[in-house]
Amino acid sequence: MKLSVRPKVYSLPSYSLTGDLLGYLRCGLQYRYTRIGKLPSSRPVQLWFGEFIHGVLEEAFRRYQERFKKGEHALPPWAADELNSIFELIKKRLSARGLVPWDDDLERLGDLRATAAIQEMGPHLFPLIHRAEVRLYGARALPSIDKSWEFREADRYEMVGVIDVVTHVELQDPKHQDNPIVRAVLASLPKMPVENFEVIIDYKGMRRPPVSGGSYWAQYAWQLQTYGELRRRQPDALPVAAGVLVYLNELYPTKTDFETIRREVKRGKTDIPPKLGSEAEAILKSWPSKEKEAPLLPFDYRLQRSLRALPINDESIADALNAFDEVVKRIETCKGKEAKGLPVMDAWERNASDENTCTVCDSRTYCPDFQKTFGRKTGETHPKLPGFKSKEEGWGHSSRD
Ligand code: SF4
């Protein structure tokens, strides 16, 4: 009797849009260690901040919805006690997962941004929300890589993501006529859709990137377009007409953010300069940089800077999917090189174009690209032990630094 041979295990590689694809584009080597190797970061600043603000907005919307369904007055602004109870709840949840703010200043900044998001943006955003935290899945053909690095049988890959908010916007509804989010969506659409449709919203725990001089501008647009594609294939979805990125840092900019806005406005690098003769323009021009804290810009300007609305259509989706297929191909090539025996440092691409990414990277003390690009400026040319957290002393560094 002829026995059949068991086929090779077929596993579908899974790529999340933010954690994998955007993470890899930030820096391949950092992605290899933190995402694939699961090495915890010694300074999880961005992680805490992003998770905190997402968690706060989700909980705030849950409370709004609960009251709205009971017929109670639900819209923010809310009392300080209510906000604090939300913040404490989310901090406890994050702390149970080992995520704590790096220091008191970061925690204070997180509270201030979350307050601006609920109290100032919430009244415009919450009434538009249809569903929050919508999980997305889809499969695509796995791009083929150079034969010498091939290491698996799969011919498809899974693409996953989570949309923060799905809205059902009725553009003609008179009660939304003055809503700045609806107005931003309307302004982005080349022509008014004829049928009911959805708008997807994605929160970003970052400032609005400049339109030129960096790749984040295009990459986050690809992410939104791909969310649009995955969402429109779900059975309960209406056609997706547009997406909105919400750059949450713009709702409460730090002094550094404020100075960056000024610089970008001066050099024409931002697509949202203040209107001529506006209060925002006057503040940006007249503020003396030696002050300790930057003044808060008017809310309409901060909200305008935080919203980036993009139309979603077949063409823009196809461009984004092609761009992400190319990223998957690059990741698969790096994985293949490592699987075939190349050292991690040689197998993975590195990207030292963004100083902020490198500054919080634990590989910086042995990464050749960091030494080349920033080593002289920072003086970090030798390995040192990562920071630690003790209950009594707060965050610190090993005495063997
Ligand atoms: S230091 Fe910069 S280039 Fe080097 S691995 Fe880290 S993020 Fe990448």
Side-chain angles (χ1 to χ4, degrees), residues 31-268:
Y31 165 76
R32 162 65 182 80
Y33 283 129
T34 56
R35 177 87 181 176
I36 299 181
K38 297 193 176 14
L39 274 181
S41 166
S42 66
R43 296 184 63 187
V45 177
Q46 191 55 34
L47 188 58
W48 180 83
F49 193 84
E51 299 258 346
F52 173 68
I53 201 109
H54 274 78
V56 163
L57 279 167
E58 200 189 333
E59 175 64 19
F61 171 66
R62 197 191 60 75
R63 293 185 187 202
Y64 159 82
Q65 200 180 31
E66 216 170 76
R67 283 186 204 148
F68 181 78
K69 279 183 187 158
K70 286 188 205 154
E72 295 170 12
H73 175 75
L75 275 184
W78 295 335
D81 284 354
E82 173 95 54
L83 297 185
N84 287 337
S85 82
I86 297 176
F87 299 168
E88 286 317 309
L89 177 74
I90 303 303
K91 282 174 197 171
K92 266 191 207 148
R93 276 187 203 156
L94 294 181
S95 156
R97 290 170 44 205
L99 285 175
V100 288
W102 179 256
D103 58 26
D104 292 346
D105 285 346
L106 180 75
E107 185 171 5
R108 188 174 152 266
L109 182 61
D111 289 354
L112 289 169
R113 281 202 178 130
T115 302
I118 295 175
Q119 306 286 69
E120 295 185 291
M121 185 178 69
H124 306 294
L125 176 64
F126 293 165
L128 303 176
I129 297 180
H130 168 63
R131 273 179 70 191
E133 296 280 312
V134 180
R135 300 200 166 266
L136 306 167
Y137 303 93
R140 289 187 58 75
L142 190 66
S144 49
I145 62 172
D146 190 301
K147 283 251 168 299
S148 45
W149 306 124
E150 275 178 4
F151 68 106
R152 62 164 119 225
E153 294 294 308
D155 57 355
R156 314 274 297 157
Y157 77 92
E158 183 192 42
M159 198 178 239
V160 297
V162 181
I163 302 180
D164 291 322
V165 165
V166 169
T167 66
H168 282 179
V169 183
E170 288 172 28
L171 293 179
Q172 278 85 2
D173 189 337
K175 73 173 184 282
H176 296 321
Q177 287 309 298
D178 292 327
N179 188 310
I181 301 172
V182 174
R183 285 211 306 261
V185 171
L186 274 175
S188 77
L189 294 174
K191 65 175 192 286
M192 185 84 81
V194 284
E195 52 201 339
N196 287 340
F197 64 90
E198 288 182 353
V199 172
I200 54 182
I201 295 186
D202 193 48
Y203 306 136
K204 292 277 163 235
M206 61 184 286
R207 64 177 302 275
R208 187 185 194 92
V211 283
S212 56
S215 37
Y216 295 142
W217 186 255
Q219 289 166 8
Y220 290 116
W222 297 341
Q223 182 206 342
L224 208 55
Q225 300 291 339
T226 311
Y227 277 175
E229 162 67 5
L230 297 177
R231 171 62 186 160
R232 70 183 187 174
R233 291 183 181 279
Q234 292 187 320
D236 66 330
L238 295 175
V240 181
V244 181
L245 292 166
V246 183
Y247 298 111
L248 292 163
N249 293 16
E250 297 290 342
L251 294 172
Y252 193 95
T254 59
K255 184 181 172 185
T256 314
D257 294 333
F258 187 94
E259 282 174 340
T260 312
I261 296 173
R262 281 217 300 198
R263 212 170 33 247
E264 288 175 359
V265 169
K266 214 166 155 190
R267 294 179 187 167

Side-chain angles (χ1 to χ4, degrees), residues 26-27 29-30 350-352 357-358 361 363-364 367 369-370:
R26 226 163 245 277
C27 173
L29 186 64
Q30 189 188 69
R350 300 183 291 270
N351 175 12
T357 303
C358 290
C361 175
S363 307
R364 67 184 182 277
C367 168
D369 290 35
F370 182 83

